[in-house]
Amino acid sequence: MAAQTTPEDVSARTTPGHVSRGAAPLDGQGDLDGQGDKTPGHTSADVIADDAEALAVAAALATEFRTGASTRDSERRLPRAELERLSASGLLAVTVPAEYGGADVRQETLAEIFRLLASADASLAQIPQNHFVYVNVIRRQGTAEQRAFFFGEVLAGRRFGNAQSEAGTRHVQDIRTRLDPRPDGSYLLTGVKHYSTGALFADWIPVLARTEDDNLHVAYVPRDAEGVTVVDDWDGMGQRTTASGTVRLDAVPVPADRVVPHHLTFRGPQLHGAVAQLLHAAIDAGIAAGAFAEAAEFVRTKSRPWFESGVDSAAEDPLLIQRFGELALQVRASEALLGAAARAVDAARDDLTEDSAAEASIAVAAAKVHTSATAVEVAGALFELAGTRSALDSLNLHRHWRDARTHTLHDPARWKIQHIGRHALNGTKPPRHGLL
């Protein structure tokens, strides 16, 4: 295993354009302690015992992370300290199987963890989404040795990043990054990845790549490996502090035991896409909940009633009450669909068949369509309800809409509706491409 070096970030602000090359620290400080194989900040982590503890920890962290979320967004302060708190809390290891020392929580619990975190800070919640996806890949396709090693890493607080999407290709599944075999059985990894959420903060970067037979694999690469360059060039209007930038891979050496045959995931009933999409839906539900709560607080404490209403406070305006009731129904419906989808995934995990996997995928698709629409609608309605003052840039209430509008672009809801319709009308099972 390559040495891990994650120096503490002492700068208050990080701006796009920041680059990490090889074993060089992300902030250019140099080796803080003269021992390049040290990993300041997460040498150990708590181990969460069960679902109830996981939810309690998530709720406490959400309360903590809510403070400062607006400032982090407006000033683009990357959440290094918050991620260290998340790692140390043990939340990143809650899906590790019990036989390897983890809590192995239900997907319903995991979805609620993400909803809670996203209600506080949507950028921060987005960063570990791929972490859990690639923990799941190890669970599904890793060898016994790979599971023992990587689950141990996760229990120790190590973070997985993400290097899967590519720009300028024919479509999202046109992966051109290559794993070329070497005579000793190892590989050289070459390619360029974009939208690499979490890579800047990662200990390990899972890279989606094709081997010479064109089969899809995941290579788990240390973030400080030779030939790896992580560029903080993400400048999205929303989710500003996810650091979803570029990863360049220039003939990166990868041992054979760090490569997992991901193509095998899709040869039978699978929940890879359902689990990944469930977490996206949970983030959208969290954004909606956070925006709704902030809108209600603003109307109660700052908004003025419209003069024709005849009431003394905005919170007594019957037209505002009506609109809040309508939005509350949307939020409740999204959260109910999210819970139902998570339970469908849990049921399929307990008894995985073609039918149970299909039902889980359709349930998750329904939740994702609804939560996406709800997040955008509620975050936009905030201004309609709160009034002119809410549009002040200094208040940064628009971060909710920017986050919702950015995150819901991940994959198109219109295709999910197509698959829901085909299943409802003709009993057609959804495809196994990993995005449903």
Side-chain angles (χ1 to χ4, degrees), residues 288 323-336 370-371 373-374 377-378:
R323 186 65 175 131
F324 267 101
E326 293 168 350
L327 293 174
L329 287 175
Q330 290 294 99
V331 172
R332 283 174 175 263
S334 280
E335 291 175 357
H370 201 279
T371 57
T374 299
E377 181 181 2
V378 173

Side-chain angles (χ1 to χ4, degrees), residues 2 6 10 30 32 52 72 77 86 105 137 160 171 179 183 205 214 219 232 274 397 399 407 433:
T6 309
V10 297
L32 293 182
R72 287 193 296 273
R77 296 183 181 180
L86 190 62
V105 302
V137 170
F160 290 167
H171 50 70
L179 268 170
I205 303 177
D214 214 35
D232 180 19
L397 294 176
R399 73 185 184 280
H407 182 254
H433 53 45

Side-chain angles (χ1 to χ4, degrees), residues 82 118 131 143 147 159 165 193 226 246 261-262 282 310 346 365 367 378 393 413:
E82 290 75 16
H131 169 90
T143 64
R147 288 195 294 269
R159 294 189 290 265
S165 292
K193 299 289 188 175
E226 178 186 354
T246 301
H262 192 36
D346 281 327
V378 173
D393 192 58

Side-chain angles (χ1 to χ4, degrees), residues 173-195:
Q173 291 203 324
D174 182 16
I175 302 297
R176 301 184 183 181
T177 299
R178 309 301 297 188
L179 268 170
D180 295 316
R182 305 170 81 184
D184 64 358
S186 66
Y187 298 90
L188 287 179
L189 179 63
T190 303
V192 179
K193 299 289 188 175
H194 299 270
Y195 311 119

Side-chain angles (χ1 to χ4, degrees), residues 211-222:
T211 49
E212 58 183 348
D213 56 8
D214 214 35
N215 281 326
L216 203 58
H217 290 68
V218 177
Y220 288 75
V221 179

